Amino acid sequence: MDFPLLLTAAEMRAADQAIARALGVPTARLMENAGRGVAEIVRCELAEIPGEVVIVCGAGSNGGDGFVAARHLAEMGRRVRVLLTTPRAKIQGDAAAALAALEEMAVVPVEDGGGWRHEAAWRARLAGAGTHPAGIVDAIFGTGFHGPVREVPAEAIAAMNAVAGRKIAVDVPSGLDADTGRAAGVVFRADMTATMGARKLGLCLEASAPVGRLELVDLGAPVDAATAPDARFRLLDAPGIAARVPRRNADAHKGSKGHLLVVAGSAGKTGAAFLTGTAALRSGAGLVTIASTAAGQMALDAKAIELMTARYADGDDAVPETTLPALEALAARAQALAIGPGIPTGPGMRAVVRALAARLPLPMVIDADALNGLGTEAPGILAGAPAPRVLTPHPGEMGRLLGISTADVQADRLGHARRFAAAARAVTILKGARTVVASPDGAVFVNPAATSALATAGSGDVLTGVVGALLARRLEPLTAAQIAVYVHGAAGEALAPRLGDGMVAGDLPLAIAEIMAELAG
């Protein structure tokens, strides 16, 4: 099962044209389908809320969708008013035809607000006869909008946000960039967004984007790989993950479920290793061995029950001449390796990390100080690796891999993850609210989870363990990353209402096991 598409504005325009050709209909028919779909969503959303619906329309196709929606809502018996942010004369094409059809009904008042240059004027018109509307529908700008909103539309949006009533956006909240999910100024703060045909990338990429609940509007034909063949972005969802989660095999034994070698921990940092190993077991690995320093092994033996331990160094740092053979011998009995959480940061360990990343013929997940050990030379080290590599950086670690600041990473999370994955030929998980999973072939998958509950020490170590377990279970690296990211985020969201800011990383492994079992049916 494919994951839902996330389209850029350009991809959606191309899809509209492809659908119109496939149906053999003009784009005006798509506008009719879109507006009718919006009207039905508004009807359901406001079914229990009495009062009128005010639809604020711009000059383009988004305004046209609003005109059609107003006509259908009136036909459903709903009291509707339309306010224009632009003079009638500037409305052209399909939108002008839709406005003419609306006005021909002679039921829905249409007011020209092109001259209302102050927020107070808009507030007065939105409130009507002194009562606030049941709902305010934003149909000012669509996917083609970029930059800050100015002049009359800016005043209208500010007033729409201030006036009480359920807020519904048509396709994209006005002022929001449909590709980035960011706003350069005032933006409509929607309680719900009725988006056309497919989710837009910007509606799902930024957790802070004011889109509310998303509802898809049917355009009369599917927006899929056939109508959007260049789409490279998708949204992780429960049905897609459920189709990929490994099922329980009645004949399974601990050896058949995979053996994960975890290179993690050192004096004072064995908690990271323990979390990684525990998460791996809870994610279905049959066997987990944690290799650490001598001090790390001693501490882990006092903590671990189901985990096996080993040592690769007697001191505080690795000695490449002895550490590498020891780890390669341990790896010979494993199906995958996870490296990084809590490891030493000295030059010996850095050399070991680079050697293992470059030459070990096992699938590997690389995290934490192992990422820092690769540094900006990571693409050259990883590109020729003999087995798949999955990297799990947070924005600061991604900045160190790229040689840029954390702020620069955050300014283009999707782009940096995508370019790095291609250069390193490694699946790259860039963590954060709305974690992204980038494949070397350019595909990117956005995780819908966005909870501050995961902003706790050790949360990333748990994710590493889940990825490692799935690699040990012989899943493809991209599939392992998709499942791990989704169940990790879902576990955080499931625990947050009950534990709030008191949730710790140690709470996650059991919740992840429960979610994976539920998804597996």
Side-chain angles (χ1 to χ4, degrees):
M1 176 180 289
D2 285 337
F3 294 109
L5 290 173
L6 295 176
L7 298 187
T8 64
E11 289 167 349
M12 191 65 230
R13 285 193 293 272
D16 282 340
Q17 295 297 325
I19 291 170
R21 289 193 300 271
L23 295 178
V25 298
T27 53
R29 177 68 63 82
L30 295 184
M31 182 174 286
E32 179 69 20
N33 293 347
R36 184 173 59 246
V38 170
E40 180 60 25
I41 288 172
V42 172
R43 183 190 70 80
C44 293
E45 187 74 6
L46 303 180
E48 304 300 323
I49 307 175
E52 69 177 358
V53 179
V54 180
I55 304 179
V56 183
C57 297
S61 59
N62 198 250
D65 294 339
F67 301 142
V68 175
R71 175 164 52 83
H72 282 284
L73 282 167
E75 290 171 351
M76 295 172 186
R78 193 87 201 202
R79 191 155 52 94
V80 185
R81 284 191 297 127
V82 170
L83 306 180
L84 305 179
T85 61
T86 188
R88 277 179 174 81
K90 291 188 176 181
I91 301 173
Q92 299 179 352
D94 293 342
L99 176 57
L102 173 65
E103 293 187 311
E104 189 175 339
M105 290 180 72
V107 172
V108 177
V110 179
E111 294 186 74
D112 187 341
W116 305 341
R117 299 186 178 279
H118 300 286
E119 181 185 336
W122 278 96
R123 287 201 194 195
R125 294 311 199 284
L126 287 166
T131 60
H132 67 76
I136 298 173
V137 179
D138 160 35
I140 302 175
F141 296 118
T143 57
F145 178 81
H146 300 281
V149 183
R150 303 184 187 281
E151 299 180 341
V152 171
E155 302 300 326
I157 292 170
M160 292 158 73
N161 288 337
V163 171
R166 190 77 174 157
K167 310 293 197 304
I168 301 168
V170 175
D171 207 13
V172 177
S174 291
L176 191 76
D177 190 299
D179 292 345
T180 68
R182 295 176 179 173
V186 65
V187 59
F188 182 72
R189 309 199 69 81
D191 298 309
M192 192 201 75
T193 298
T195 195
M196 309 306 169
R199 295 165 182 83
K200 311 308 178 294
L201 179 62
L203 298 178
C204 301
L205 190 58
E206 291 289 333
S208 60
V211 303
R213 192 179 80 255
L214 276 180
E215 293 282 350
L216 286 182
V217 177
D218 185 3
L219 294 178
V223 180
D224 53 21
T227 51
D230 297 326
R232 304 299 292 159
F233 312 124
R234 291 183 180 266
L235 182 71
L236 298 179
D237 69 349
I241 294 296
R244 291 163 171 79
V245 169
R247 265 56 182 175
R248 178 179 295 178
N249 184 342
D251 297 329
H253 54 83
K254 63 184 179 183
S256 65
K257 291 173 66 179
H259 184 177
L260 176 67
L261 175 62
V262 178
V263 181
S266 57
K269 296 181 181 179
T270 53
F274 183 78
L275 287 168
T276 302
T278 301
L281 288 174
R282 288 294 189 185
S283 302
L287 296 163
V288 176
T289 298
I290 301 180
S292 189
T293 62
Q297 183 187 23
M298 184 179 300
L300 283 164
D301 280 340
K303 296 177 182 179
I305 298 174
E306 298 94 345
L307 300 164
M308 296 180 289
T309 67
R311 73 173 65 182
Y312 59 74
D314 292 327
D316 294 334
D317 193 11
V319 180
E321 293 77 13
T322 56
T323 297
L324 273 172
L327 290 177
E328 287 170 339
L330 290 167
R333 302 196 297 271
Q335 281 70 55
L337 183 140
I339 185 169
I343 61 172
T345 58
M349 196 66 204
R350 181 170 176 269
V352 168
V353 166
R354 292 180 165 217
L356 291 173
R359 76 190 195 201
L360 191 72
L362 280 183
M364 184 185 304
V365 54
I366 305 172
D367 185 27
D369 279 317
L371 295 171
N372 296 330
L374 295 176
T376 55
E377 296 174 54
I381 294 169
L382 298 169
R389 304 296 186 241
V390 179
L391 280 69
T392 63
H394 58 57
E397 290 162 344
M398 178 59 88
R400 290 189 282 277
L401 290 169
L402 296 172
I404 61 177
S405 69
T406 302
D408 287 337
V409 172
Q410 294 291 69
D412 186 15
R413 288 167 43 80
L414 187 148
H416 287 307
R418 194 181 189 200
R419 288 185 288 272
F420 180 84
R425 299 181 189 173
V427 173
T428 301
I429 298 171
L430 179 53
K431 296 180 288 196
R434 303 283 165 83
T435 291
V436 298
V437 180
S439 173
D441 67 2
V444 178
F445 302 82
V446 179
N447 193 42
T451 173
S452 61
L454 291 174
T456 185
S459 173
D461 304 324
V462 171
L463 177 63
T464 297
V466 182
V467 176
L470 295 170
L471 291 175
R473 297 179 74 178
R474 299 174 176 83
L475 270 68
E476 291 297 316
L478 180 59
T479 302
Q482 291 166 338
I483 295 171
V485 164
Y486 185 87
V487 300
H488 183 262
E493 290 189 325
L495 291 169
R498 182 161 52 90
L499 301 179
D501 288 339
M503 194 200 84
V504 296
D507 298 321
L508 288 169
L510 182 57
I512 287 169
E514 292 170 344
I515 288 167
M516 290 182 70
E518 181 180 349
L519 289 168

